[in-house]
Amino acid sequence: MPTHAPPAPSSQRLTKKQRIIVRHEKSKMTTKHVMGLQHPLGINPLGNYYMDASRPDFPGACRGPSLGQLSRLTDELIMDILHLLSPCELLTLGATSRVLYGLTHLDDMWKTLTIERFKGDWTWQGDTWRATFLKRSDPQYNTDIILENREALKLKYFYSDVLFQSFYCAAIGMDPYVSVENIDKRSGLTLDEFVQEYEKPGKPVIITDGAKHWPAMQKWSTEYFLKTWPEAVLRAESVDVTITNYFKYAEGTKDESPLYLFDKNFGERCEGILEDFFGMMGSQRPDYRWLIVGPARSGSTFHKDPNATSAWNAVITGSKKWIMFPPHILPPGVFTNDDESEVTSPVSLMEWFSNFYASTQFPDDPAERPLEGICREGEIMFVPRGWWHAVVNLDDCIAVTQNYVGSQNLRETMEFLYLKRDQVSGVVDERREGLYEEFKDAFFKSNWTPEDESESSKDEAVLTEAEILKRKQLKATWVENERIIEQIAKKRTEQGSCCEAVSEKLSFWEQAKLGTSDKKDAENGTADVVESSGSGGFSFSFGFASDDEVEAENEEEQ
């Protein structure tokens, strides 16, 4: 019999991006292809413990003897503690036991430490963030030592789903998830056909010949970028890195969620890159175009595009897996509040596919099955406004994307800018509140007609009757949309006032049952019910309170 019990099951509070261990589905870690996966630190999935424990020569899990009193803590808690330590403390702690040596080598911690300390000022070393951090801290450090000692210092008989899962998600790849392609694929579409069949009804489509004639299809590649703009600094998530360093990182990384180069200013930083693609769009518009570069497994977790815009995404090299849900269907594993200003999702795309993808294939209602497809080189994906979508690069990929407002989504964008001013993105914070008015002013100036008496219109060229009619129709559309939106805003204000008046007459517990709050707390947000460990069953906090605030309120009630 084994001399040591297996690690306790995991349990954690969900945060905006949280590691999720799913136990209600058949674990993917029991399939035969996982048996051949070898974690670089020797960590095994928890299921292996039960197989190993049946062997008569099994010495027992090494977790207890190696960690001592720390073995009482869950793996999640130990990792939370390690994330609080400095690099020097991690290196010192790692010398105290074999298990701690392994745990302090987990690369996610060193990725965070490298980016926090050095931003983008580092040069990728080998295949780990730890080596990159140590080399950047001390240029004389010999990173070859890490590779030489890796095999000798592997853990033996250490089991943890929590610590194995990130490696599993990175190693398993997308092969099990690419067989379904049910997004329409079209070629030879006329503009009118596209508008009537896809843009107007809000239906995704892959236009297979959309970008094949672009000059970028013959020019853009990793080699072209490295030769033309080797020292250009582009944005990769939260850091600015040179193109040379990013491609070196992309070639060697084993990250579960590789850094994704998603740069909005590539046209200005890489002179001449836009000559074949974009016209002048005006300097005051919100961010709208991006160069997207990333290795396999990188991509975007589930989201809706900003400001109720639609978008197109053109693949220049590589390929992308798309999975999409219509606006009214929230993807499994993704959680949001009522106005969708806060979105919680798994840590990585690969984790979502591993834990939730299977449940999307046979929903109770067939209409809730997602749309899926692969967008390949020279193809363009059309993303209608409001659709939830996630995108994974299947291999090294270069793409460009642009968000836009057209006649088919003008009303929705106007409503978003008017009613959700705090959620407006793509501009500096100071402009959020007034972006609707800025947009309105620019819209009417661009659609002037001869009867307008503004000074700016007097020097304009003479318009044809057809142009005048079109501009009048656009202005009339704006006025009608604005009238409807103002009615919606007025109704919401009246409903809010009514709820506030009613809440003044109710006791605290009556308000709680109705999901309302007293007047004092209503000023801070809407009511949330938070599970409490005390005998009271539930405590009530208002607004999106932090965990510390919720715990403090619980203690006060108790």
Side-chain angles (χ1 to χ4, degrees):
M1 291 296 290
T3 56
H4 303 286
S10 61
S11 60
Q12 273 191 316
R13 181 187 295 269
L14 199 67
T15 58
K16 277 194 175 181
K17 280 197 174 183
Q18 181 63 59
R19 175 72 58 205
I20 300 175
I21 304 295
V22 175
R23 302 192 182 282
H24 60 274
E25 292 185 9
K26 182 179 179 181
S27 174
K28 306 297 187 300
M29 294 185 187
T30 62
T31 56
K32 63 180 181 180
H33 58 269
V34 177
M35 300 298 294
L37 295 178
Q38 298 294 319
H39 194 287
L41 296 173
I43 297 171
N44 294 300
L46 185 58
N48 283 25
Y49 170 84
Y50 301 102
M51 292 186 293
D52 292 345
S54 64
R55 300 200 330 253
D57 60 341
F58 179 56
C62 70
R63 190 180 190 277
S66 187
L67 290 179
Q69 293 297 322
L70 286 177
S71 64
R72 297 172 179 268
L73 305 179
T74 64
D75 293 334
E76 299 99 322
L77 188 52
I78 291 175
M79 295 310 302
D80 285 343
I81 294 171
L82 294 183
H83 274 86
L84 300 174
L85 302 183
S86 68
C88 183
E89 290 167 337
L90 286 173
L91 293 171
T92 302
L93 185 63
T96 61
S97 82
R98 183 180 287 268
V99 169
L100 286 173
Y101 177 86
L103 297 184
T104 56
H105 272 63
L106 290 170
D107 227 28
D108 233 17
M109 289 185 299
W110 294 99
K111 178 181 181 179
T112 301
L113 289 169
T114 303
I115 292 174
E116 285 181 350
R117 177 166 295 192
F118 303 118
K119 308 302 181 187
D121 183 19
W122 42 265
T123 301
W124 183 251
Q125 300 292 323
D127 60 357
T128 70
W129 282 99
R130 185 175 185 274
T132 300
F133 181 93
L134 295 174
K135 188 68 172 180
R136 176 60 181 83
S137 301
D138 179 7
Q140 303 303 315
Y141 184 81
N142 181 11
T143 56
D144 292 339
I145 297 176
I146 296 176
L147 294 175
E148 293 170 1
N149 296 331
R150 180 176 291 174
E151 195 65 29
L153 291 169
K154 275 188 175 181
L155 297 171
K156 295 181 179 179
Y157 306 113
F158 185 85
Y159 311 90
S160 171
D161 278 353
V162 174
L163 303 181
F164 187 82
Q165 184 168 356
S166 60
F167 162 74
Y168 166 78
C169 289
I172 197 63
M174 286 293 295
D175 288 349
Y177 312 112
V178 297
S179 60
V180 178
E181 294 194 56
N182 56 7
I183 295 175
D184 280 4
K185 287 198 167 191
R186 298 288 299 275
S187 62
L189 274 177
T190 66
L191 179 59
D192 184 62
E193 287 173 337
F194 167 73
V195 170
Q196 295 302 320
E197 296 180 39
Y198 296 101
E199 188 181 35
K200 191 171 183 179
K203 181 181 179 182
V205 62
I206 295 175
I207 304 173
T208 58
D209 56 352
K212 292 189 182 297
H213 63 286
W214 290 5
M217 295 300 301
Q218 283 73 48
K219 293 167 61 177
W220 285 13
S221 65
T222 299
E223 293 74 20
Y224 179 77
F225 274 67
L226 289 171
K227 180 181 178 180
T228 311
W229 305 289
E231 299 306 314
V233 178
L234 300 180
R235 191 73 169 176
E237 297 184 16
S238 61
V239 297
D240 294 320
V241 296
T242 65
I243 283 180
T244 298
N245 197 26
Y246 179 78
F247 279 119
K248 186 176 181 181
Y249 157 79
E251 183 180 7
T253 182
K254 294 182 179 178
D255 287 352
E256 177 189 358
S257 300
L259 287 177
Y260 199 26
L261 197 156
F262 210 100
D263 192 275
K264 65 182 180 182
N265 296 316
F266 67 98
E268 291 72 27
R269 291 169 172 170
C270 303
E271 186 177 354
I273 202 171
L274 294 181
E275 60 185 358
D276 299 322
F277 302 100
F278 301 103
M280 298 299 292
M281 301 296 290
S283 61
Q284 294 303 305
R285 67 170 295 167
D287 299 337
Y288 66 101
R289 64 185 182 198
W290 291 267
L291 169 70
I292 314 171
V293 181
R297 304 186 311 280
S298 62
S300 300
T301 54
F302 278 104
H303 65 284
K304 292 184 176 183
D305 280 337
N307 305 331
T309 55
S310 296
W312 55 259
N313 186 299
V315 176
I316 309 301
T317 66
S319 57
K320 294 175 178 287
K321 164 75 176 185
W322 289 75
I323 182 164
M324 313 177 75
F325 290 85
H328 64 283
I329 298 179
L330 189 65
V334 177
F335 305 92
T336 183
N337 59 332
D338 289 341
D339 65 359
E340 298 181 350
S341 60
E342 299 285 338
V343 179
T344 299
S345 63
V347 170
S348 73
L349 285 163
M350 298 309 303
E351 182 182 357
W352 185 89
F353 275 97
S354 175
N355 289 335
F356 297 102
Y357 178 79
S359 68
T360 69
Q361 298 306 293
F362 303 99
D364 295 334
D365 183 354
E368 294 183 0
R369 186 172 183 180
L371 293 184
E372 303 178 51
I374 298 176
C375 193
R376 298 172 174 86
E377 293 183 3
E379 299 180 342
I380 296 178
M381 167 65 75
F382 166 63
V383 185
R385 60 97 192 162
W387 276 66
W388 290 100
H389 56 282
V391 191
V392 188
N393 289 327
L394 300 180
D395 37 34
D396 296 346
C397 193
I398 299 174
V400 289
T401 187
Q402 178 169 322
N403 291 76
Y404 71 94
V405 180
S407 59
Q408 304 305 319
N409 65 324
L410 175 62
R411 155 75 186 280
E412 289 77 15
T413 297
M414 288 176 61
E415 185 173 329
F416 189 96
L417 298 180
Y418 192 99
L419 299 177
K420 298 185 176 183
R421 296 174 186 250
D422 60 321
Q423 296 181 39
V424 169
S425 62
V427 296
V428 295
D429 291 345
E430 293 75 15
R431 292 181 58 202
R432 286 183 175 183
E433 283 293 323
L435 189 62
Y436 176 86
E437 286 71 25
E438 288 185 38
F439 184 31
K440 178 180 179 179
D441 184 58
F443 187 89
F444 276 83
K445 283 183 178 179
S446 296
N447 290 290
W448 68 273
T449 49
E451 62 267 23
D452 295 333
E453 297 181 358
S454 64
E455 292 294 324
S456 61
S457 68
K458 293 181 178 180
D459 297 328
E460 298 286 346
V462 176
L463 301 175
T464 65
E465 289 298 322
E467 290 171 330
I468 293 173
L469 177 61
K470 181 179 179 180
R471 292 187 176 195
K472 286 182 176 180
Q473 290 173 338
L474 286 172
K475 289 192 289 187
T477 298
W478 182 287
V479 171
E480 176 61 16
N481 287 344
E482 188 173 69
R483 181 188 67 80
I484 295 172
I485 293 168
E486 287 176 343
Q487 289 180 344
I488 294 173
K490 182 179 179 181
K491 183 177 295 186
R492 290 184 180 179
T493 301
E494 291 173 349
Q495 289 174 343
S497 300
C498 178
C499 291
E500 184 174 336
V502 170
S503 68
E504 291 178 349
K505 303 176 183 179
L506 300 176
S507 69
F508 175 82
W509 289 108
E510 288 172 325
Q511 294 172 44
K513 292 175 183 177
L514 294 174
T516 59
S517 64
D518 61 44
K519 183 175 182 180
K520 177 180 178 180
D521 288 324
E523 297 172 357
N524 298 324
T526 57
D528 286 331
V529 180
V530 180
E531 190 171 353
S532 169
S533 59
S535 59
F538 292 93
S539 65
F540 291 82
S541 62
F542 300 92
F544 294 98
S546 67
D547 292 348
D548 292 341
E549 292 170 337
V550 172
E551 290 175 2
E553 291 179 11
N554 291 345
E555 291 175 359
E556 289 175 4
E557 285 191 16
Q558 294 171 12

